[in-house]
Amino acid sequence: ITLSAGPVAVADGIGYSNVELIMRSCRDDGLLLQPSAPMKLVDAALMYRATPHAGVSGPAGEVYVAHTILPGRDYGYLLSASLTNEWSFTPQDIGYAPGMSFAVVDVRAKEFVGLLSDDQPMTLHVSGKDDFQLLSLSPVESNGWALVGEVNKWVGVSTARYLEVTTTPESMLVEVTGVKGENVTIGFVSPEGELVRHSCIVPEESVMKLSTQGDCF
C-alpha cells in the first residue's frame, strides 16, 4: 500500500504477480499514487497506549491516517488493522477542524458507506491483519458533491494525478494528468449519496478534465 509515501517494491515470484493488485498503487507508467505525507498513528491510539488503564477511550490496535492536500481541500485515508475493540470516531478525533463533513468510501470494497461529521460518527470494527479496513474521506463540497477519486487505487486522490479541483453550483470539475491512452476511472459521491463512476481515456496532451456528469475534454 502506498500510504507510507515511500518506495514500493514487488517481491512476487516470476509468474505469480497479481497485476490488478499492483496497479492499485500507481499510474500506468509506474508513478506511485501517494498521499502528501506518510501515514501516522492517530493521537487517540497513542493516548490509549500511554494510559491503557485510565479509562481513556481509543482504538486498541493500529489506526493510521494520511492526507492528500490539494488547494483548499484535505482528503483523508484511514487504515486500521489488528484492532481488538470497536472505535467510534468523528473528524476531530483524527485531526480535522470542527464543522467538517466527509463522504466515506470503503476502499477495499469500493463502496460508499456513509457520511462522517461531528454529529455523525463512524465506527471501525474489530479486525486482524488480513481483513484490515481502509476508508477514504472526501470533503463534502458546498453543493453536496464529494470527489472520491480513482476508486480502483489505494489512494484515490493524489497530487501525482490531480492538478485542479473546482466546483460549480451543481457539479464538480477535476483536471487530471496521466499517460496517453490510460483509462482513468474517477468516482464522486452525489448529494443523494450515490457513488458515481466515470471513465475517460487520457489524450495525447496527457491532461484532461472530467465532470460529475461524465464529460471528458
Side-chain angles (χ1 to χ4, degrees):
I1 292 182
T2 52
L3 295 173
S4 67
V8 174
V10 179
D12 302 309
I14 296 175
Y16 289 91
S17 296
N18 184 326
V19 175
E20 181 181 356
L21 187 61
I22 293 170
M23 295 307 296
R24 294 198 74 172
S25 298
C26 61
R27 305 187 329 186
D28 278 6
D29 59 357
L31 184 63
L32 293 174
L33 298 172
Q34 299 176 312
S36 299
M39 64 181 180
K40 62 179 182 179
L41 199 66
V42 299
D43 288 348
L46 289 171
M47 290 294 294
Y48 185 83
R49 292 180 185 186
T51 56
H53 305 296
V56 176
S57 176
E62 307 297 327
V63 180
Y64 292 82
V65 65
H67 301 268
T68 293
I69 306 299
L70 297 179
R73 295 170 174 85
D74 185 342
Y75 296 86
Y77 297 90
L78 192 67
L79 172 70
S80 68
S82 301
L83 191 62
T84 60
N85 67 330
E86 290 193 341
W87 182 56
S88 295
F89 64 95
T90 67
Q92 293 186 64
D93 292 321
I94 54 176
Y96 284 103
M100 298 191 69
S101 179
F102 297 87
V104 182
V105 167
D106 183 322
V107 176
R108 299 188 70 180
K110 305 176 186 178
E111 295 177 350
F112 172 65
V113 295
L115 294 176
L116 172 69
S117 64
D118 293 339
D119 56 0
Q120 289 181 284
M122 191 159 286
T123 300
L124 292 177
H125 301 291
V126 174
S127 64
K129 293 181 179 180
D130 294 335
D131 59 340
F132 65 88
Q133 300 168 82
L134 178 58
L135 304 177
S136 71
L137 314 177
S138 302
V140 177
E141 304 286 339
S142 58
N143 58 16
W145 284 92
L147 168 65
V148 176
E150 293 180 85
V151 294
N152 57 343
K153 306 294 185 182
W154 296 121
V155 177
V157 178
S158 170
T159 56
R161 176 73 80 189
Y162 290 83
L163 302 178
E164 186 178 35
V165 178
T166 57
T167 60
T168 69
E170 297 180 351
S171 66
M172 296 186 70
L173 183 67
V174 296
E175 184 177 35
V176 301
T177 183
V179 183
K180 175 186 174 182
E182 185 177 10
N183 190 343
V184 179
T185 300
I186 296 176
F188 302 88
V189 173
S190 71
E192 294 74 33
E194 179 186 0
L195 178 56
V196 180
R197 299 172 173 90
H198 298 299
S199 296
C200 293
I201 303 298
V202 177
E204 186 173 358
E205 297 81 7
S206 299
V207 175
M208 66 179 179
K209 292 186 178 181
L210 187 146
S211 72
T212 51
Q213 286 71 40
D215 301 317
C216 304
F217 54 93

